[in-house]
Amino acid sequence: MEQVIVNDVAPRDGLQNDPVAVSPGERAELIKRLVAAGLPAVEVAAFVSPKAVPKMAGATEVAAALDLDRADFSALVPNRKGYEMARAAGMRSVALVLSATETMNRRNINMGLDQAAAVCRETLQQARGDGLKARAYVAVAFECPYEGTVPDAEVERLAGDMFAAGAEEIIVADTIGAGNPTRAKALFGRMTAAFGAERLAAHLHDTRALALANAWQALECGVRKFDASAGGLGGCPFAPGAAGNLATEDLVSMLHQAGFQTGIDLTALLDVVSGMESLLGRPVGGRSLPWLRRRLAEDQAA
Ligand code: HMG
Ligand code: MG
């Protein structure tokens, strides 16, 4: 069976904009439970300004509470300061964020597109020199909440720029979940032809309930690395209209049914989602959760 790598971003994207503040210790426990459920990769923290994103404060404490060799743990970094903090915390892998439009970069990281690209390039080169794994998001890859439709050619241009600076992987990100299967097929087809599917990952928000359909298009184009968020939580605080990420349980359920393997134990993942409901004090979960829970209860009763 073919392998797909799922990177769970719930501890970062999922919790960065949640109404409930989750402590660094609780985030570390969530990460350990995700790894115990078989997640091979987790985005564990964001080394960002606590003034900009208060819910991500304590990234160093999160890293300190983890065995950083246990899985492919990465941290989001928006600038050189964030990178230095992540490196000092012992992170082996960082993810830079470059948005495909001027306004989105300004809102998100207070830099214009050219400056953001320059900072990403310098940070990628630094990370390469330091022996860290470095990836870059190209955000608002389909549509920007401020500037509208983003041309595929611009996403390709920015990705090429980041690869040239040393990025090991580009994460094509649908920040506000505005992609559709036709556009996803075109964009992932173009990107895989230009760079090779093995150097790409997909990060899809599920605002319009199309993330799974878009993920399938990326799969058909050869992409085998996906971000997803347990419980379907997430959204960028600076992108109005951004809803949750593709739920990990929805993605994994689809992949297993379609004959791919992920190494993830869905029963254990459902336990993690239940734990998140206790933590946040409300129901969470992807579209498939009621069915998955029913099937699990039937299996246990049998
Ligand atoms: P700024 O105000 O322009 O920064 O913010 P500055 O360089 O002028 O510094 C201001 C203060 O912040 C200083 O402290 C710095 O030391 C501090 P002060 O002197 O006032 O005490 N500072 C930092 N502190 C901690 N970590 C840092 C850092 N850098 C400076 N890295 C900045 C610019 C980039 C810092 C800010 O805008 C920021 O942190 N932005 C992060 C935004 C963010 O986290 N957005 C969400 C993640 S992106 C996302 O969700 C999309 C994604 O999921 C993909 C998708 O869905 O498309 C990835
Ligand atoms: Mg996101």
Side-chain angles (χ1 to χ4, degrees):
M1 274 198 284
E2 245 196 291
Q3 181 83 20
V4 172
I5 305 287
V6 181
N7 175 39
D8 204 298
V9 297
R12 195 279 301 167
D13 200 331
L15 296 176
Q16 69 185 5
N17 200 26
D18 200 87
V20 178
V22 179
S23 72
E26 288 167 325
R27 277 181 268 152
E29 282 314 307
L30 168 63
I31 294 158
K32 288 176 192 169
R33 293 193 69 189
L34 287 166
V35 173
L39 265 300
V42 182
E43 194 169 87
V44 299
F47 289 83
V48 298
S49 160
K51 284 181 198 144
V53 188
K55 301 279 166 49
M56 286 290 101
T60 299
E61 287 164 78
V62 174
L66 299 172
D67 170 0
L68 294 171
D69 292 321
R70 181 82 176 74
D72 181 3
F73 291 136
S74 62
L76 184 145
V77 299
N79 57 11
R80 281 296 279 275
K81 174 160 183 160
Y83 169 76
E84 293 302 342
M85 290 172 72
R87 189 174 63 134
M91 296 302 307
R92 308 336 180 206
S93 176
V94 291
L96 281 298
V97 190
L98 178 62
S99 297
T101 64
E102 180 73 16
T103 316
M104 189 64 222
N105 281 298
R106 289 204 180 281
R107 299 294 174 104
N108 197 36
I109 55 172
N110 199 24
M111 298 174 211
L113 176 55
D114 290 346
Q115 190 193 352
V119 167
C120 283
R121 278 195 300 271
E122 286 164 19
T123 312
L124 288 165
Q125 279 156 5
Q126 175 78 43
R128 208 188 164 99
D130 292 340
L132 269 72
K133 181 175 167 191
R135 308 179 301 149
Y137 285 98
V138 176
V140 297
F142 291 95
E143 189 175 311
C144 168
Y146 306 106
E147 297 189 24
T149 301
V150 171
D152 292 354
E154 181 64 353
V155 179
E156 183 183 334
R157 182 183 75 81
L158 294 171
D161 199 13
M162 295 302 108
F163 276 129
E168 286 181 35
E169 185 178 286
I170 294 297
I171 312 154
V172 177
D174 185 6
T175 312
I176 57 170
N180 61 60
T182 305
R183 286 210 60 206
K185 185 176 180 179
L187 180 59
F188 285 105
R190 179 180 186 130
M191 295 290 283
T192 51
F195 305 113
E198 66 291 346
R199 295 208 290 165
L200 297 169
H203 174 108
L204 303 162
H205 284 261
D206 202 23
T207 317
R208 305 183 193 180
L210 291 174
L212 207 50
N214 296 336
W216 185 258
Q217 294 294 3
L219 262 175
E220 291 270 72
C221 293
V223 174
R224 294 292 180 267
K225 286 187 194 153
F226 290 85
D227 285 0
S229 173
L233 300 177
C236 175
F238 308 102
N245 285 79
L246 172 56
T248 309
E249 55 275 22
D250 285 350
L251 177 66
V252 172
S253 171
M254 176 185 80
L255 290 169
H256 290 184
Q257 289 176 73
F260 292 92
Q261 65 181 22
T262 63
I264 297 165
D265 175 351
L266 259 173
T267 304
L269 182 62
L270 294 190
D271 271 351
V272 179
V273 174
S274 299
M276 289 171 84
E277 293 185 315
S278 307
L279 194 61
L280 301 175
R282 64 174 197 276
V284 299
R287 276 277 294 110
S288 65
L289 191 62
W291 176 77
L292 287 169
R293 281 184 169 150
R294 213 166 44 241
R295 200 196 57 170
L296 178 64
E298 283 163 9
D299 284 354
Q300 283 170 345

